[in-house]
Amino acid sequence: MGKKWRLTVAGLVVWIAGMAVGQIWLRKYALTAGPTERAAASWPKHSQLERAEGFTAILFLHPKCPCSQASLLELDKFMTHAPRSTKAYAVFARPSAWAEKDVKGSLWKQATAFPRVVPVIDEKKREAAQFGALTSGHFFLYRPDGVLAFQGGITGSRGDVSDNPGLSSALALVNHGRVELRETRVFGCALYDKSGSIFSAG
């Protein structure tokens, strides 16, 4: 075997190994859940969002997180199959340093196109703090009496649009009153950094 051939083989082995490591890292990242804290067990008294007569769903989103679109698409899927009495909010975080137009990008426009989803800007972290949302993609589902029925993620991993336990559990609750899971992991970026004012995407 010539020297040139040996170098080619060695290069190919290194390339394959690099690809394998990269795939492992990407898979690990996709399955790494974001932080959560104790969710509001009942509808926050000072929330500016209005509860529906039926179930009320709230999805918190980071407008620049690459995982947010998948969560928003799953919210649309949830509302497509939920009873008409169900109401949904897509709540977009806004740091103090951002103008309103900075939040109303492509993801906001997509949310406005969904007929049964109401997009809202969360000024000064007010709603996120009351409901207990830290991560983009955190979904809360409240019963008509204001009691928390389910909370967590409605994607199976970061950026994944497919059947998953969170979405199926939420649909089982609103359509059949059946409790499968009350909580799932949330896959997405942090809504805010530690200062609470600047986004920390990815």
Side-chain angles (χ1 to χ4, degrees):
M1 182 182 294
K3 182 178 180 180
K4 185 177 179 180
W5 176 250
R6 288 196 300 269
L7 289 173
T8 300
V9 172
L12 182 61
V13 170
V14 171
W15 179 78
I16 292 173
M19 289 290 292
V21 171
Q23 288 296 320
I24 292 171
W25 184 89
L26 287 173
R27 183 61 178 167
K28 182 179 180 180
Y29 174 77
L31 294 174
T32 300
T36 56
E37 63 181 10
R38 184 180 295 277
S42 58
W43 191 268
K45 182 179 179 181
H46 300 292
S47 173
Q48 295 185 348
L49 305 179
E50 294 184 2
R51 258 186 18 238
E53 292 184 2
F55 281 85
T56 307
I58 307 165
L59 178 67
F60 285 87
L61 293 168
H62 180 318
K64 300 296 182 182
C65 175
C67 314
S68 292
Q69 185 177 33
S71 295
L72 186 59
L73 289 172
E74 294 296 78
L75 177 65
D76 180 48
K77 189 185 300 182
F78 167 78
M79 290 303 291
T80 299
H81 298 287
R84 296 296 301 178
S85 60
T86 305
K87 187 172 187 176
Y89 292 99
V91 181
F92 288 79
R94 175 188 175 185
S96 57
W98 281 36
E100 185 175 302
K101 64 179 179 62
D102 296 323
V103 181
K104 292 185 175 181
S106 59
L107 200 66
W108 172 276
K109 293 175 183 176
Q110 187 173 7
T112 62
F114 294 149
R116 298 181 61 199
V117 175
V118 180
V120 175
I121 293 180
D122 188 14
E123 302 286 353
K124 298 180 180 179
K125 201 180 175 182
R126 183 183 293 113
E127 300 295 344
Q130 290 186 85
F131 284 93
L134 298 177
T135 300
S136 182
H138 201 153
F139 174 91
F140 299 83
L141 183 63
Y142 286 85
R143 298 182 186 277
D145 61 2
V147 174
L148 180 66
F150 170 83
Q151 61 110 358
I154 50 174
T155 63
S157 61
R158 289 176 182 255
D160 179 42
V161 181
S162 62
D163 293 337
N164 62 86
L167 181 62
S168 63
S169 296
L171 284 172
L173 270 166
V174 296
N175 286 313
H176 309 294
R178 186 172 70 245
V179 179
E180 295 180 353
L181 294 171
R182 294 190 181 276
E183 183 175 346
T184 54
R185 295 188 297 166
V186 184
F187 298 100
C189 308
L191 290 172
Y192 298 91
D193 70 358
K194 292 181 180 179
S195 71
S197 62
I198 303 174
F199 284 116
S200 177

